[in-house]
Amino acid sequence: MEVSSDKIASGRSEKTNEAFFEDAFEVVGHGRFNYIVLLTCGLIMLNVSMESVGMSYAITAAECELNLTSEHKGLVNAAAFIGIISTSFLWGYFGDRVGRRAVMLPALLASAVFSVASSFAVDVWMLMFLRMLTGCLVSASSATVYAYLGEMHMNSRRASAIAWGSVFISFSFITLPGLAWLIIPGKWSFALFSFTVVPWRAFVWSWCAPGLVAALLLLFLPESPRYLLSAKGPDAALPVLAKMYSWNHRASADQFPVDKIILTNMDSEKPAGFAGAIKNIGLMFRPPLLRCVFISHISMFSVFMLSSGLYVWVPELLNNILKNTSEKSITICEIIMEKLKKTEVSSCTVEVSIGVFPISMAMGAVFALTYLAIGMFINKIGKKRLYCGIMIICGVATMGAAFVPQGGAATALLILALCSGCAASILAAIAVDVFPTCLRAMAMCLMYMVGRTGAAVGSYLLGATMNTHCLAAFIVFGSITMGSTILMLFWPKPEEVRDKLEQRGLTY
């Protein structure tokens, strides 16, 4: 039953007898509540990004203290991604079983504890183990947050909400080098519980703040009403909609003009334990979702392989470029070979060039502008067209960075190549539309699990091949990035997928 806009405006206590869930959600409107949700989810995304790639700034400073080789650095950079990968299925199940908020809140707090513990590592293997445990906990919110953010918005605003939330990811690429600039170059140290804390260890503590603030905000936010409708029924979802209405309209929850949500056959689908989750997951690997899963997973692997896999090496690449004293114009790969020859005949001494940090911050500013542009134009240009355009440009830039002489041009192309990470939010917006509520958290977790696998593979492969097959590595990474866009030609129409699944009793 349609709700009168006059009734909403008047704020009278008179109730509409009944309304379908989507109609009731439209009554809730868009306002202050949605902005708070956006801020909270943005901070969670910021936390995930900082925990995932933060070690890339610390390992250069820790190289001599922990006796790190290039292969060790690749493993340390990949450790958080491995933790995320190994637990994504578990967190996806819990996200669909007990709720999005119920999973994210404790995991945010626990991940901060293990992250701080990793700063006390005394060797590379201890550091890897603790970073992997941190990744296991970060995994809980790394993809569940997209389901939560999307479900807190009307269907018409879902894609733009995810795009705007993802802008916060770019802030990590400004905040991390900024914090590193303030902390890592310091020559100080102090004793804490018989342990000597040096700047790079204190730097690890600094990036835990966004997750703790997000956890505090989550204390005041409710569970997703779409999840509650699917898992517990309309009586559980209605109070949340009323609370959202009261925040958006600065009114009492009692003034929410919907008294009852009408159940449809689709709304009656509820979780049925682990066996039910396995049954639901089976739907992902059968038509019509099979094609969507195949395309989205390979695409996300490609996005993360380049963006995160390359990003964790950018501070070291920039440091090599800035430390190069050759008077000739030589490429990034040639600079790496020169550094390797010098290392073989000298003792370990590491000095991080100050220039790395402002360049990295400028890179983060470019990412922020890219994310903002995506949020503004995603609905005008179209999600698939925008995704393909970004990936093709970034693929070309990746290959170009290995061929141009070192300096400004190579750095600019590296920055452009890393903008491929911005395409992950577009891909999430494309994928979230086709998965029903009972599968959404699991589907996003699995998709990001595959993406993080790409990051881990990319990070390790670059670490293993940088000194031996540098040029080939850049060419392969760029080719995979561009080639993955071909899959988008076969992405089905979301309306057709939804219609087929709604006929089976699943709800969106």
Side-chain angles (χ1 to χ4, degrees), residues 109-126:
L109 298 173
S111 67
V113 172
F114 280 99
S115 188
V116 170
S118 71
S119 70
F120 293 95
V122 295
D123 58 52
V124 63
W125 305 112
M126 182 179 178

Side-chain angles (χ1 to χ4, degrees), residues 132-374:
M132 187 173 69
L133 289 180
T134 303
C136 290
L137 291 159
V138 167
S139 176
S141 50
S142 66
T144 307
V145 64
Y146 288 95
Y148 184 76
L149 178 58
E151 290 172 0
M152 286 297 197
H153 288 78
M154 296 176 286
N155 291 334
S156 60
R157 291 181 178 269
R158 183 177 295 161
S160 59
I162 292 174
W164 283 111
S166 299
V167 171
F168 283 79
I169 296 174
S170 66
F171 294 163
S172 69
F173 304 125
I174 301 174
T175 306
L176 274 174
L179 291 171
W181 194 357
L182 290 173
I183 299 171
I184 288 180
K187 303 300 181 182
W188 50 264
S189 64
F190 64 90
L192 181 66
F193 304 117
S194 302
F195 190 90
T196 302
V197 176
V198 293
W200 76 263
R201 297 182 185 275
F203 170 60
V204 176
W205 304 348
S206 68
W207 68 56
C208 298
L212 294 175
V213 174
L216 179 64
L217 290 173
L218 273 178
L219 289 173
F220 301 96
L221 290 174
E223 182 56 83
S224 159
R226 295 183 189 276
Y227 165 78
L228 292 174
L229 178 71
S230 175
K232 299 181 180 180
D235 291 340
L238 187 60
V240 175
L241 293 179
K243 180 177 182 178
M244 294 169 66
Y245 174 86
S246 69
W247 285 30
N248 284 342
H249 295 271
R250 301 180 186 274
S252 168
D254 293 335
Q255 294 178 289
F256 185 49
V258 177
D259 190 34
K260 181 181 179 181
I261 295 176
I262 304 173
L263 271 180
T264 66
N265 292 333
M266 296 177 291
D267 295 329
S268 61
E269 186 77 13
K270 297 184 180 181
F274 187 76
I278 296 298
K279 180 181 178 181
N280 283 340
I281 292 170
L283 294 173
M284 294 172 57
F285 299 97
R286 296 199 302 267
L289 288 178
L290 177 60
R291 191 200 305 182
C292 301
V293 169
F294 179 79
I295 294 173
S296 62
H297 284 38
I298 292 180
S299 299
M300 194 63 85
F301 183 95
S302 303
V303 169
F304 273 83
M305 184 178 180
L306 177 61
S307 61
S308 296
L310 177 59
Y311 180 82
V312 295
W313 288 101
V314 164
E316 180 144 328
L317 290 173
L318 290 178
N319 198 47
N320 290 339
I321 291 173
L322 294 170
K323 287 291 181 181
N324 177 54
T325 57
S326 173
E327 296 181 357
K328 299 184 298 181
S329 294
I330 57 178
T331 66
I332 292 174
C333 294
E334 291 169 335
I335 292 173
I336 292 171
M337 291 304 298
E338 283 199 357
K339 182 199 174 187
L340 184 63
K341 292 176 183 177
K342 291 178 182 178
T343 304
E344 290 174 350
V345 297
S346 63
S347 59
C348 181
T349 56
V350 174
E351 183 180 349
V352 181
S353 174
I354 296 297
V356 170
F357 305 119
I359 293 174
S360 296
M361 293 179 71
M363 180 169 58
V366 173
F367 295 164
L369 291 173
T370 304
Y371 275 116
L372 289 170
I374 289 171

